[in-house]
Amino acid sequence: MRRFVQSFVALALIAAPATAALAQATAQAAPARTAPGQDAKAAGVFIDGLADQAFAILRDKSMTKPQVRAKFRTILRENFAVTEIGHRLVRRHRATITPAQYNAYLAAFPDYVVGTYADRLYEYANSDLKIVRTIPRGSRGDFDVMTSITLPNGGQPIQSTWTVRKAPNGKFQIHNLTVAGVNLALTQEADFTSFIQRKGFDALVQFMRDAAA
């Protein structure tokens, strides 16, 4: 679980996260689309803009760490398909949990990610994200935005792919992130399943709440 969240925040949040880490975009009708080439370009601009926004927050010395967390929490909710992602991570358990349990989980997830790992983001304040290319993915209007994140210590650049899709309101949202070939949604789903099998669903939600406190 720690492996996914670190990668998710270190890339997703620094490079701009903010999904609305889980909104029911796929359950609604797809919006009218512009030409594929225009959408592909717009998807790259979306990720690039989020990166600029996130780095600006990290480099603002006038803000306290709680203020930085609050900013990232807003970014997360606005730019990530939070509800859909959350559903995907616990889809194997939906038949065995109550609506109240599910809603508690969705409420805890964004704060868990931000609250637990926001402090780690400061080491990326001087990093830089470069858009490598953007290509269509599947038949649902998704695009894979391939990026390279240059680290401030001169380490090996981090290669990542952001899967984005237009929401019904016409804005892009992030639906998944792949880092160095590792699909983070699948990895997190496996980690959550393992935790639930060992300790139960309520224990997972409580763990997330405690970690974000």
Side-chain angles (χ1 to χ4, degrees):
M1 184 181 300
R2 177 188 181 87
R3 174 181 54 187
F4 169 85
V5 178
Q6 272 190 293
S7 297
F8 180 85
V9 174
L11 289 173
L13 289 184
I14 70 170
T19 303
L22 311 122
Q24 302 167 324
T26 55
Q28 303 182 42
R33 301 189 179 282
T34 55
Q38 294 177 338
D39 272 349
K41 181 177 180 180
V45 171
F46 165 67
I47 293 297
D48 194 40
L50 280 177
D52 289 344
Q53 182 182 357
F55 287 135
I57 293 171
L58 291 174
R59 294 165 183 164
D60 187 346
K61 304 301 182 182
S62 69
M63 290 195 297
T64 64
K65 288 185 177 180
Q67 289 174 324
V68 169
R69 288 194 184 99
K71 288 282 189 179
F72 276 119
R73 186 175 295 111
T74 298
I75 292 176
L76 183 70
R77 292 187 181 279
E78 290 179 350
N79 298 285
F80 276 73
V82 179
T83 300
E84 183 190 336
I85 295 171
H87 173 79
R88 189 190 319 163
L89 298 184
V90 296
R91 55 187 169 181
R92 300 179 184 178
H93 309 279
R94 289 296 305 280
T96 61
I97 62 176
T98 67
Q101 287 177 305
Y102 180 58
N103 289 335
Y105 158 77
L106 289 183
F109 184 75
D111 286 346
Y112 166 65
V113 174
V114 177
T116 304
Y117 295 97
D119 291 346
R120 299 179 183 273
L121 301 180
Y122 286 95
E123 64 186 272
Y124 296 93
N126 296 314
S127 298
D128 184 52
L129 180 143
K130 177 183 178 181
I131 304 297
V132 177
R133 65 182 180 277
T134 301
I135 59 175
R137 176 188 181 91
S139 60
R140 295 184 296 181
D142 292 1
F143 291 93
D144 280 345
V145 181
M146 301 175 183
T147 66
S148 178
I149 297 178
T150 302
L151 303 179
N153 60 6
Q156 186 72 19
I158 300 173
Q159 307 303 318
S160 58
T161 300
W162 308 77
T163 299
V164 304
R165 182 188 312 158
K166 276 189 176 179
N169 62 7
K171 293 184 178 181
F172 282 104
Q173 287 186 320
I174 299 167
H175 284 252
N176 198 7
L177 176 61
T178 299
V179 181
V182 178
N183 186 311
L184 298 187
L186 293 179
T187 300
Q188 182 64 85
E189 181 182 358
D191 288 346
F192 274 8
T193 293
S194 176
F195 191 102
I196 293 168
Q197 289 175 342
R198 289 184 289 109
K199 299 186 177 182
F201 194 87
D202 289 338
L204 171 66
V205 174
Q206 189 59 51
F207 170 78
M208 295 167 70
R209 288 170 173 165
D210 291 344

